[in-house]
Amino acid sequence: MNKQQRRPWVVGVSGASGTPYAAAVLRGLLAAGESVDLVVSRASRLTLLDETGIAFRDAHWREDLAEWLARGADGKPGTFRVSADALDDVRYWPAGDLAAGPSSGSYPVKGMLIVPASTAAVAGVALGLSKDLLQRVASVTLKERRPLVVAVRETPLNGQTLRHMVALDEAGAVVLPASPAFYAGATHIQDLVDFVAGRVLDAAGVPHELYRRWKGELGGAASRPD
C-alpha cells in the first residue's frame, strides 16, 4: 500500500509585529495532526528577535522553532510543551529559496496562512510581486484556487492598504485582521492571542480548542472556570 501523500498547510510569517500569533497557529495545526511547511521572511526574523529574543537561523531552524513554540505570549519560556515528534511534521523553506517546493502549483498543499501579515506582505500579494518565497507561495495559492488566509496586523490602515485588502478578498483570500474579541472571557494575554489564532484556524477549517465559542448566552465572558 502506498503511503498517503503529504499535504501540508503553508504558514508564512511576515515582518509585522505579532509573532505570538504565528506560534499559536503553528501549535494549533500540529495539535490537529496537520503537516506544516514553514516560511519565515527576513523581516520577520528581526521582529521575532525583538519580541522573543530568539534568533531564527536557517541551519538551526528546528531548535529555534522548538524554542519559539514553547514560549508563551507573555515571553515566558517553557510555557508550552512541543514534542520532537510534532516537529517531524514541519518542513522549513528559506524565504529566499524561490525554487522551493511550495513555489510550484504542482506541489501538493492544502492552502496557506500568512500570520501575521504586514502591510508590505499584503501589498506584495495583492499586486502579485512574488519578491520572496512567502509572496510567491501566496500567488500560487490564489492561482490554484486554494484557501489563503491573511491575518493582517496593522493599525490604523490607510486607503492604499484597504484597497489591497479588497483586492485580496476579490481574488478569493480571507482577509482576517488580528483583532481579538473579549466575549470568550480572556484573563491573560495568551487568551487574546489564542482567539486570533483560533479564528485563523476556523477560516482554514482546522479543528481546535483555542478559545471558548459564543453560545448565545449573555454573561459568558464574565464567568470564569474553576
Side-chain angles (χ1 to χ4, degrees):
M1 181 179 296
N2 293 331
K3 185 178 180 179
Q4 186 176 4
Q5 186 180 49
R6 180 179 182 272
R7 292 188 66 236
W9 284 96
V10 180
V11 176
V13 186
S14 79
S17 176
T19 54
Y21 291 129
V25 166
L26 288 165
R27 287 192 298 265
L29 288 170
L30 296 177
E34 299 285 349
S35 297
V36 173
D37 276 23
L38 178 63
V39 180
V40 179
S41 77
R42 289 188 175 92
S44 69
R45 295 176 190 234
L46 297 176
T47 307
L48 182 63
L49 180 63
D50 184 55
E51 294 182 345
T52 69
I54 297 171
F56 197 89
R57 303 159 294 175
D58 287 347
H60 302 281
W61 70 266
R62 189 181 177 93
E63 296 90 333
D64 297 337
L65 178 61
E67 183 182 358
W68 180 16
L69 296 188
R71 193 175 294 262
D74 58 0
K76 183 179 178 180
T79 301
F80 297 96
R81 294 186 60 185
V82 181
S83 69
D85 290 343
L87 292 182
D88 287 340
D89 289 328
V90 179
R91 182 176 295 172
Y92 170 71
W93 301 98
D97 185 4
L98 293 179
S103 67
S104 171
S106 65
Y107 184 85
V109 302
K110 291 184 177 180
M112 183 181 190
L113 315 175
I114 305 179
V115 188
S118 65
T119 54
V122 168
V125 176
L127 298 174
L129 298 183
S130 296
K131 72 171 187 177
D132 61 7
L133 182 60
L134 188 152
Q135 293 183 12
R136 170 60 185 169
V137 177
S139 294
V140 168
T141 302
L142 290 175
K143 80 179 182 69
E144 296 293 330
R145 303 296 190 267
R146 294 167 180 159
L148 173 63
V149 182
V150 183
V152 183
R153 217 310 305 162
E154 186 62 86
T155 190
L157 297 170
N158 62 29
Q160 188 176 39
T161 298
L162 290 169
R163 286 188 287 272
H164 289 151
M165 291 165 64
V166 170
L168 288 178
D169 177 78
E170 292 175 343
V174 174
V175 179
L176 194 153
S179 177
F182 295 85
Y183 60 76
T187 60
H188 190 275
I189 185 175
Q190 189 67 54
D191 298 324
L192 299 176
V193 168
D194 285 346
F195 180 87
V196 172
R199 295 299 288 153
V200 171
L201 296 178
D202 286 345
V206 176
H208 66 87
E209 297 181 357
L210 287 175
Y211 68 87
R212 184 170 59 193
R213 298 183 181 277
W214 173 252
K215 297 181 180 179
E217 300 174 359
L218 295 178
S223 63
R224 298 290 185 264
D226 296 333

